[in-house]
């Protein structure tokens, strides 16, 4: 027969024994771990419409589900768009920051923050920079690039140079303006806020996949409806210049 020491508080309520306290703490830890694991699995959930061949991958991040479409012959001289997913299933694509901001606006009953053309311009700039960054070119000089290598490397180098010229053209259209300025705010009230340039705004959203709120916080601005709306409008205007 085991013996237990029961400690009674001044109000007459018996305190838990050390063993009971340990077991209660252990149960709380197990419950917290179980909830954490469930949350991780939920992030990797694959919708049934996409089939069971896609593995669960929590590190994949946010996704969007869509139905692939292709053109199929319709009669002798016509074509018709029809779903072309594998076995009729939907497909998954990793959601970027534009997808996330659009979904958030829809959940709040608001229209999409950017037009399709503006989103396409931002994604085009992102894809262009990623492709150029992964090209493996170490020479920063055009002359150095053109003077090196022979054989079949010319077409590759030409493509890399075209990408760089296109990036520079887009960045000229982005310009050196300021999307959010603190010059009209008294120094005593500025705090840690700094200017948000058009170029930095586009790079953080398009290249770093950061939402508007993250851009504001990174520059010391508070995330409010007024500041978020102003910065969102500034981004839309810059992306509009990229489209031209």
């Amino acid at each position: 027969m085991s013996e237990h020491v029961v400690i009674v508080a001044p109000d007459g309520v018996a305190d838990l024994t050390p063993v009971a306290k340990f077991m209660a703490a252990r149960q709380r830890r197990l419950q917290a771990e179980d909830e954490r694991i469930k949350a991780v699995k939920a992030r990797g959930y694959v919708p049934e419409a996409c089939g069971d061949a896609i593995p669960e991958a929590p590190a994949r991040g946010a996704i969007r589900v869509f139905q692939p479409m292709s053109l199929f012959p319709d009669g002798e001289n016509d074509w018709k768009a029809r779903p072309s997913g594998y076995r009729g299933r939907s497909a998954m694509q990793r959601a970027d920051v534009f997808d996330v901001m659009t979904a958030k606006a829809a959940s709040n009953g608001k229209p999409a923050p950017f037009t399709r053309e503006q989103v396409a311009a931002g994604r085009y700039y992102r894809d262009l920079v990623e492709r150029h960054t992964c090209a493996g070119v170490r020479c920063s000089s055009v002359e150095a690039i053109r003077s090196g290598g022979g054989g079949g490397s010319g077409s590759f180098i030409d493509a890399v140079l075209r990408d760089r010229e296109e990036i520079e053209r887009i960045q000229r259209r982005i310009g050196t303006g300021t999307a959010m300025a603190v010059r009209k705010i008294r120094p005593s009230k500025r705090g840690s806020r700094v200017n948000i340039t058009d170029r930095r705004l586009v790079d953080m959203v398009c290249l770093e996949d950061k939402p508007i709120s993250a851009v504001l916080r990174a520059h010391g601005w508070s995330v409010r409806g007024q500041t978020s709306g102003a910065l969102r409008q500034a981004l839309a205007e810059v992306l509009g210049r990229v489209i031209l």
Side-chain angles (χ1 to χ4, degrees), residues 16-28:
L16 293 174
T17 63
V19 174
K21 286 184 178 181
F22 171 79
M23 294 301 295
R26 180 175 179 272
Q27 183 64 29
R28 289 194 297 270

Side-chain angles (χ1 to χ4, degrees), residues 176-221:
T176 58
T178 302
M180 295 281 282
V182 297
R183 60 179 178 273
K184 296 182 179 179
I185 304 176
R186 279 193 252 169
S188 60
K189 295 185 178 181
R190 288 180 184 175
S192 60
R193 281 177 286 189
V194 296
N195 291 346
I196 305 176
T197 64
D198 291 343
R199 172 71 181 281
R200 186 59 186 144
L201 171 61
V202 173
D203 284 355
M204 286 192 70
V205 174
C206 298
L207 305 185
E208 301 176 22
D209 215 37
K210 301 292 186 183
I212 295 295
S213 58
V215 179
L216 289 169
R217 292 191 185 96
H219 291 80
W221 292 77

Side-chain angles (χ1 to χ4, degrees), residues 77-155:
N77 302 314
D78 200 4
W79 296 81
K80 187 174 182 180
R82 296 176 183 172
S84 58
Y86 176 68
R87 294 184 177 178
R89 296 169 178 168
S90 298
M92 289 170 47
Q93 185 179 53
R94 184 180 178 276
D96 60 14
V97 67
F98 292 107
D99 292 321
V100 173
M101 289 190 289
T102 299
K104 185 176 181 180
S107 66
N108 293 328
K110 298 180 180 179
F114 306 102
T115 66
R116 290 184 178 181
E117 292 78 9
Q118 291 167 347
V119 172
R123 288 171 174 167
Y124 174 68
Y125 175 57
R126 175 199 63 198
D127 295 344
L128 198 63
V129 171
E130 288 181 354
R131 184 170 68 234
H132 185 265
T133 303
C134 296
V137 178
R138 299 182 179 180
C139 299
S140 59
S141 168
V142 175
E143 291 75 18
I145 293 176
R146 288 177 175 169
S147 63
S153 63
S155 59

Side-chain angles (χ1 to χ4, degrees), residues 12 15 20 24 35 38 41 44 52 106-107 120 146 148 153 158 172 177 195 204 217 238 241:
D15 194 6
E35 293 175 354
K38 288 181 179 179
K41 288 183 176 181
D52 57 0
S107 66
R146 288 177 175 169
S153 63
D158 290 341
R172 285 194 298 270
N195 291 346
M204 286 192 70
R217 292 191 185 96
V238 176
R241 294 200 299 269

